[in-house]
Amino acid sequence: MLGFGYHAFLNDHIKRNKCKRLMEIGVYDGENARSMIEAAKENFSPEEIEYYGFDYFEDEWLYQRIYKKLEETGCKFKLFRGDSRVTLPQHVDELPIMDLIFIDGGKSYETAKSDWENCRKLMGKHTVVFVHNYEFPGVKRMVDEIPREEYIVEIIHPPDDYATARIRKK
Ligand SMILES: C[S@@+](CC[C@H](N)C(=O)[O-])C[C@H]1O[C@@H](n2cnc3c(N)ncnc32)[C@H](O)[C@@H]1O
């Protein structure tokens, strides 16, 4: 399905920049998680790779399948169940600085804004945050408000995928 499960631009970034701490808001079925972890394995052994995933995970059967999928990768991982507007602020202080963050959860302005405001606390000098679906009005408004004097914000148009904001610290 277009825009789900496999994003070449993320995998290329992970391989080229040797990313091993990965975070995703909006895990869906865990296929993109698996694909990003496989990309990280190009430079690291599975036990060196960390994945942090946030989603509602309302369907217990699907949650168990995703959990098993991640166990099979051999990486270290943590899944946070519930609304990211609640779970992210609850856990952000215990999370490490990430190499890559993919914001791909709720698309309303309120949720996108909350996800960004929390994720930016996990950015180091080298961290890149990708925000999927820049074409959604709420996502676009949130991205357009990011202060350009603090962050470098680029809009990329990956082939066969949706417009995405790529953000790093200045
Ligand atoms: C577009 S899908 C994610 C696709 C996945 N990143 C991929 O690349 O295959 C969006 C996901 O965000 C989750 N989601 C939406 N709003 C959320 C919220 N407020 N808190 C937690 N998860 C949310 C949905 O349950 C859904 O699984």
Side-chain angles (χ1 to χ4, degrees):
M1 206 188 327
L2 178 68
F4 283 84
Y6 171 84
H7 305 280
F9 65 94
L10 294 179
N11 298 336
D12 291 347
H13 180 91
I14 289 167
K15 290 178 194 175
R16 225 172 319 113
N17 296 281
K18 297 190 167 49
C19 299
K20 62 177 167 134
R21 277 206 181 120
L22 315 169
M23 178 160 149
E24 182 173 34
I25 317 296
V27 176
Y28 185 52
D29 62 358
E31 270 308 293
N32 179 53
R34 203 180 50 74
S35 160
M36 292 198 297
I37 293 162
E38 289 308 316
K41 282 184 185 172
E42 193 152 291
N43 291 300
F44 299 100
S45 60
E47 56 277 9
E48 290 176 292
I49 300 166
E50 296 171 27
Y51 172 85
Y52 301 87
F54 289 77
D55 207 301
Y56 289 121
F57 297 121
E58 273 171 339
D59 179 332
E60 184 61 30
W61 179 81
L62 183 57
Y63 177 75
Q64 293 304 334
R65 259 190 43 193
I66 295 165
Y67 200 92
K68 192 159 177 286
K69 206 180 271 190
L70 291 172
E71 273 185 337
E72 284 167 3
T73 68
C75 82
K76 294 194 188 105
F77 68 94
K78 275 191 183 163
L79 297 177
F80 299 86
R81 291 178 93 155
D83 189 329
S84 63
R85 288 172 302 178
V86 177
T87 55
L88 247 176
Q90 263 172 1
H91 293 283
V92 71
D93 290 342
E94 63 201 50
L95 294 172
I97 296 295
M98 301 293 166
D99 295 324
L100 175 144
I101 301 175
F102 187 41
I103 300 181
D104 193 21
K107 308 297 175 188
S108 69
Y109 172 74
E110 289 70 23
T111 303
K113 180 85 175 167
S114 170
D115 289 347
W116 160 250
E117 289 298 337
N118 285 288
C119 285
R120 74 191 187 96
K121 297 177 184 161
L122 303 174
M123 290 174 81
K125 231 181 130 32
H126 67 284
T127 311
V128 174
V129 175
F130 290 91
V131 183
H132 208 207
N133 294 121
Y134 176 70
E135 68 280 358
F136 277 67
V139 176
K140 182 177 187 308
R141 182 177 156 205
M142 180 282 281
V143 169
D144 291 350
E145 283 176 4
I146 295 172
R148 283 7 188 207
E149 60 278 12
E150 262 186 85
Y151 297 94
I152 300 165
V153 181
E154 298 159 284
I155 308 303
I156 60 170
H157 297 274
D160 301 324
D161 210 317
Y162 296 108
T164 297
R166 183 171 57 199
I167 306 160
R168 63 182 82 222
K169 276 186 170 176
K170 253 190 169 164

